[in-house]
Amino acid sequence: MPHLLQLLVLVAIIVTAAKLAGAAATRVGQPAVFGEILAGLLLGPTLLNVLGWPIFATRPPLEGVEGTAPLITIVRDLADIGVILLMFVAGIETDLDEMRRVGKVAFSTATGGVVLPLVGGALTARAFGLPFLWEGLFIGTILTATSVSISAQTLMEIGALRSKEGSAILGAAVIDDVMGIVLLSAVIALARSGGRPDLAVLTWTVVRIVIFFAIALFFGRYLASLARAADRLGVSQGLLALVAVVAFLYAWGAEYVGGMAAITGSYVAGVFFARTRYKERIDQGIHPLTYSILVPIFFVSIGLEANGRELGGDLWFTFVLVAVATLTKAIGAGGSAWLSGFSGRRSLRVGVGMISRGEVGLIVASYGLSHGIINRNVFSASVIMVLLTTMITPPLLRLVFRARRPHRAPIVEETVAGPPEEIDRRPRR
């Protein structure tokens, strides 16, 4: 079968499975994203291994003609585009004024959510006989990652993205990403130098991050004017075309210029557009493409990356790694939020919202495998850890927010400035 036809069938299977599983999840009181991730696990190599079916067999290239990319590579690319747009939508939904009010909490949450998982991961590796340098430190680095896309999707579903806790989670996740990249760069630099710190590499890493945010802030001042000009071009969907271009360029800049995850750039772009008078039109226009095809592909692709059959005798290590990843992130992030002034209930919500590792953890684990820092078994265990923490975050978030959410017709909340215990929440009508 021609490559294009294989891709069309695969995308049809993925989207259908994601939507049906999402519908089934909502019927049992769970967010749709929970079912979509389970659909990926069902279709992946752990169970059905859909990519190994004869219909998707790779044909040898013709003589003199370059071979086509494997289907999983194309799925990953589509998933990356999906998560970039998902994070742009999260940025659009972000209340920047509220995020400023929780800035101290966000920074404290991010710090606690990095330090405790790093220590816990390194000690876990050492307990199972793995060398502290550099495999142990790198496993700890994998655990420091936070994937805000999973939490953002769930918070949007339950109408809590604009809450004080939602703003703290989003702000902390962005700061966490910067800290994680600096930490990853430090571990890589130390590993390459045989334990001797390469200050030049670390300094350049920080400089790149500063350069990206400086450029992003500079151009962000002109996005409202560009949006107005694009809206007056007289072409079909000129405004949305500009939005997509900016989201993709900011994502590119975050990774290529700043050395961070691309989703950080698209999130920043969304925050900027949220400050314009076109916010509602952009939000309504970007949703259909994002949530009909690309986001389902992203969530299913997480399951496609996992292969539980490779774990073998490392099941205990995997089990402990999942437990440590969950507890250290929840306690580190939630405890830091509590120390910064959040109430116990709000701190618990923030801690739970930071548990998911998602694509960020997969990126870090893949980097370690490709550079020979971790072996294949540790990588497989890390992928299962990423998958399970990603799967448990939506239902846990739903559980800790359940007192705030009606059974049907969720509301989007606004907050009024004040001490955490005295916030007055009013539904937006």
Side-chain angles (χ1 to χ4, degrees), residues 17-42 150-151 153-154 157 295 299-300 302-303 387-398:
K19 292 302 180 182
L20 291 178
T26 58
R27 287 182 178 274
V28 296
Q30 300 298 336
V33 60
F34 182 74
E36 292 172 354
I37 297 172
L38 282 178
L41 186 62
L42 176 68
I150 306 296
S151 297
Q153 166 73 5
T154 306
E157 287 186 8
V295 167
F299 287 122
V300 170
I302 295 176
L387 179 66
L388 291 179
T389 55
T390 299
M391 288 172 57
I392 65 176
T393 298
L396 287 179
L397 269 178
R398 176 74 174 273

Side-chain angles (χ1 to χ4, degrees), residues 210-223 250 268 272:
V210 172
I211 290 175
F212 165 73
F213 277 108
I215 295 175
L217 290 171
F218 175 79
F219 284 103
R221 300 164 53 190
Y222 302 99
L223 290 183
Y250 267 58
V268 171
F272 282 132

Side-chain angles (χ1 to χ4, degrees), residues 122-311:
L123 292 179
T124 299
R126 190 71 186 92
F128 280 86
L130 298 175
F132 186 81
L133 297 177
W134 297 100
E135 198 163 7
L137 280 180
F138 197 87
I139 292 174
T141 303
I142 296 174
L143 265 57
T144 64
T146 294
S147 176
V148 70
S149 55
I150 306 296
S151 297
Q153 166 73 5
T154 306
L155 289 170
M156 281 189 281
E157 287 186 8
I158 64 179
L161 187 66
R162 290 168 61 88
S163 67
K164 200 173 187 68
E165 301 95 317
S167 298
I169 291 170
L170 292 176
V174 173
I175 299 171
D176 184 287
D177 181 47
V178 175
M179 290 182 175
I181 293 299
V182 172
L183 181 60
L184 174 63
S185 302
V187 173
I188 294 297
L190 289 170
R192 289 176 176 174
S193 61
R196 298 184 301 275
D198 191 341
L199 294 180
V201 174
L202 300 182
T203 301
W204 176 235
T205 299
V206 175
V207 169
R208 290 176 64 186
I209 293 174
V210 172
I211 290 175
F212 165 73
F213 277 108
I215 295 175
L217 290 171
F218 175 79
F219 284 103
R221 300 164 53 190
Y222 302 99
L223 290 183
S225 299
L226 288 174
R228 184 167 55 252
D231 194 40
R232 296 175 178 176
L233 280 178
V235 297
S236 175
Q237 302 297 337
L239 175 61
L240 289 180
L242 171 71
V243 166
V245 168
V246 172
F248 292 153
L249 287 179
Y250 267 58
W252 170 84
E255 186 159 327
Y256 189 79
V257 177
M260 300 178 292
I263 56 175
T264 300
S266 60
Y267 175 77
V268 171
V271 170
F272 282 132
F273 275 112
R275 309 289 289 181
T276 71
R277 63 187 180 94
Y278 299 98
K279 173 184 174 180
E280 296 298 330
R281 287 180 54 192
I282 294 173
D283 199 20
Q284 294 173 3
I286 206 72
H287 264 79
L289 173 63
T290 303
Y291 286 90
S292 61
I293 298 178
L294 295 175
V295 167
I297 291 177
F298 163 64
F299 287 122
V300 170
S301 71
I302 295 176
L304 292 177
E305 295 285 352
N307 188 358
R309 300 179 185 180
E310 291 184 351
L311 293 178

